[in-house]
Amino acid sequence: MQIRIAERLKELRKQRGCTQEELASFLGVTVQAVSKWENGQTEPTAKNLVELARLFDMTVSELVEPGVCAAAASEVFESAPPCTAPAAVTG
């Protein structure tokens, strides 16, 4: 996770007047997980990003910043295997 995202999570949490404990409880994660996100050691899951965006009343793209989101998507698409059509279902 880029440091600016970690700092953004911390800043948004403090603006809401939430403690790490309260945020962790809301998301159903440990306080250690929230701390690691805010220190840039680990990243929230996609599900947690959606919940964080909902809590902070913004989109996930706004939460992670558009440039970061685009870079992450680019990495995913570059490393993904080619798509294949599903096998036909016979009945």
Side-chain angles (χ1 to χ4, degrees):
M1 177 187 298
Q2 294 196 10
I3 296 300
R4 63 183 173 187
I5 297 171
E7 291 171 356
R8 185 159 167 78
L9 288 174
K10 186 175 185 176
E11 177 184 331
L12 290 167
R13 176 183 58 77
K14 287 185 173 188
Q15 285 177 357
R16 286 294 261 222
C18 291
T19 64
Q20 287 184 340
E21 292 83 4
E22 291 168 330
L23 184 58
S25 177
F26 174 79
L27 295 170
V29 299
T30 64
V31 175
Q32 291 82 1
V34 173
S35 178
K36 286 180 179 183
W37 299 342
E38 291 183 356
N39 290 315
Q41 295 174 354
T42 61
E43 300 178 359
T45 64
K47 177 185 174 218
N48 286 328
L49 284 173
V50 170
E51 291 301 318
L52 286 162
R54 186 173 295 144
L55 174 67
F56 298 133
D57 194 30
M58 60 182 57
T59 66
V60 172
S61 293
E62 291 169 328
L63 178 64
V64 300
E65 298 178 349
V68 175
C69 188
S74 176
E75 288 178 22
V76 169
F77 288 122
E78 288 175 10
S79 64
C83 295
T84 58
V89 177
T90 57

